[in-house]
Amino acid sequence: MASIKLTVIGESGGAPLPGGATSCYLVEADGYRLLLDIGSGALSLLGTACPFDSIDDVIISHFHSDHTADAGVAVYSRLISMQLGRAVNPLCFHALESRELENPPYSRVKVVTDGDEERIGPFTVSYMKTKHPASCLAVKLSYEGKSVVYTADGSLTDELASFSSSASLLIAECSFYPGMKREEAGHMDADDVVKLAETAKPGKLVVTHLPIYGDRENILSYIKAHWKGDVVLASPFLKIEV
């Protein structure tokens, strides 16, 4: 039976915990692998999950450093592999703009924007602009009747809830503990994640982009107390199949 596999590589917001990484998620289907964001420390941890040479596509939600810090390192990794004659393709970034990611023949950029849809490997990928200080895109990956939605960074909006509706797997950011809502920061807290889950009704919820202070288990306990669906906290090398 066709399935989509998620491996969390980095789950922290803002900065990595010791030995950890910020936003990075490996998604696989039909033998194809891509990355959602590639934050600080991500490339080092990724090697435990799979060879980086097996990754051809990286979707960049936005250009805050905790989502892109290892992008330049990834280009150098591809440069070395290609110069050594390994059987690899140029690395393709899918992002709102090229910035400094384009370095032919080792990397290229496919510019995407709000409302776009494209094909990446076996996935149909669609994008939606979120409410965030930096231009940012939520991402939906669809494959064989299943979908993974990655909220990236952004405040709770009706549009985000609609975009996330009935996702097989919803990867939702939660930058703040309950009662710490700061909408002007362009992030969600635990209360917002509960509201999003109640409206979107995902098959499974992964809560990520977690604070690097306090006890993260309090976020999980709060969400479980207010939403009765299937929910887990993201952690390095967490694996989920839908």
Side-chain angles (χ1 to χ4, degrees):
M1 184 176 181
S3 64
I4 304 175
K5 300 176 183 178
L6 170 75
T7 303
V8 175
I9 305 300
E11 85 298 345
S12 292
L17 293 174
T22 58
S23 297
C24 184
Y25 311 89
L26 171 65
V27 185
E28 304 174 78
D30 195 26
Y32 197 87
R33 294 169 169 155
L34 63 77
L35 293 182
L36 298 172
D37 284 333
I38 186 164
S40 177
L43 199 61
S44 177
L45 293 188
L46 179 65
T48 300
C50 72
F52 185 64
D53 279 358
S54 69
I55 304 292
D56 289 335
D57 293 276
V58 181
I59 297 174
I60 300 294
S61 65
H62 65 298
F63 283 92
H64 279 163
S65 295
D66 56 336
H67 295 255
T68 62
D70 273 11
V73 180
V75 174
Y76 279 121
S77 174
R78 189 53 44 97
L79 178 154
I80 292 167
S81 291
M82 293 180 74
Q83 290 184 346
L84 289 174
R86 295 174 182 167
V88 294
N89 296 316
L91 193 60
C92 183
F93 293 98
H94 305 254
L96 281 158
E97 53 186 287
S98 61
R99 294 283 176 109
E100 297 179 357
L101 299 176
E102 197 146 27
N103 186 12
Y106 312 110
S107 67
R108 62 188 181 90
V109 177
K110 169 71 182 300
V111 175
V112 293
T113 191
D114 181 36
D116 279 358
E117 184 175 286
E118 62 174 339
R119 190 81 174 179
I120 304 177
F123 298 104
T124 299
V125 185
S126 51
Y127 301 93
M128 190 211 79
K129 186 176 181 180
T130 68
K131 188 177 180 181
H132 192 60
S135 294
C136 179
L137 296 173
V139 182
K140 181 184 292 182
L141 305 172
S142 301
Y143 170 72
E144 295 292 326
K146 299 179 179 180
S147 63
V148 172
V149 173
Y150 171 47
T151 66
D153 287 4
S155 302
L156 177 62
T157 63
D158 291 341
E159 292 79 12
L160 181 62
S162 178
F163 187 75
S164 306
S165 180
S166 300
S168 307
L169 176 62
L170 175 58
I171 309 167
E173 72 119 296
C174 187
S175 299
F176 300 110
Y177 288 95
M180 293 180 64
K181 182 178 177 69
R182 289 180 56 210
E183 187 173 347
E184 73 279 4
H187 289 291
M188 290 188 284
D189 67 3
D191 295 287
D192 292 322
V193 174
V194 168
K195 293 173 184 176
L196 175 62
E198 287 175 339
T199 303
K201 298 179 173 58
K204 191 174 186 72
L205 172 64
V206 177
V207 185
T208 193
H209 202 268
L210 300 168
I212 58 172
Y213 56 89
D215 185 353
R216 292 173 170 181
E217 289 297 323
N218 291 337
I219 291 174
L220 182 62
S221 298
Y222 183 87
I223 294 173
K224 284 185 171 181
H226 294 83
W227 184 64
K228 301 309 177 184
D230 188 0
V231 55
V232 294
L233 282 186
S235 59
F237 309 118
L238 172 72
K239 295 180 182 294
I240 295 173
E241 186 169 348
V242 294

